[in-house]
Amino acid sequence: MKYRSLFASIVAGAVLTASLSAAQQIGPSAYRNPCERGPVPSWELINSTHPGFVAFLLDLRPQMPLAVAEYIASSVCDDISIVGNSAALTRRTNLLLRQTGY
């Protein structure tokens, strides 16, 4: 009985982890919610790059230096005009990837 409970806990943890990962990354080349936004999106002090977005960029372009991925992520998230606009976020990310040679 003890092992059954342990097994159920492990399976539940694995399912939760997988669902949280899927909530952020959708498919091999899409990332949902790349920026963390506070209650007032126009206040830059409370808006930042989602840490997973940098890792996502590095997974897409393994040859990209960390500093370049951080620059792209912060540039995307600093553009308050595209908050909540997935198409604009994608265009901006792709533009920055091209501009930096990745």
Side-chain angles (χ1 to χ4, degrees):
M1 195 56 101
K2 194 186 282 188
Y3 292 110
R4 188 179 302 206
S5 176
L6 177 62
F7 179 72
S9 296
I10 292 171
V11 171
V15 169
L16 179 61
T17 301
S19 64
L20 288 175
S21 294
Q24 291 299 322
Q25 185 174 341
I26 302 169
S29 61
Y31 196 90
R32 191 179 72 182
N33 301 328
C35 309
E36 294 179 350
R37 298 291 174 190
V40 183
S42 61
W43 294 356
E44 292 181 28
L45 292 176
I46 57 171
N47 296 304
S48 62
T49 304
H50 192 286
F53 187 43
V54 173
F56 170 76
L57 292 172
L58 292 172
D59 284 343
L60 281 179
R61 306 291 196 276
Q63 72 282 12
M64 180 188 302
L66 175 62
V68 174
E70 289 173 337
Y71 163 75
I72 290 171
S74 66
S75 295
V76 168
C77 294
D78 285 348
D79 189 349
I80 301 301
S81 69
I82 59 177
V83 171
N85 183 340
S86 294
L89 286 164
T90 299
R91 283 192 304 273
R92 178 85 167 134
T93 302
N94 288 333
L95 173 68
L96 289 164
L97 286 169
R98 282 192 305 275
Q99 286 178 344
T100 57
Y102 295 97

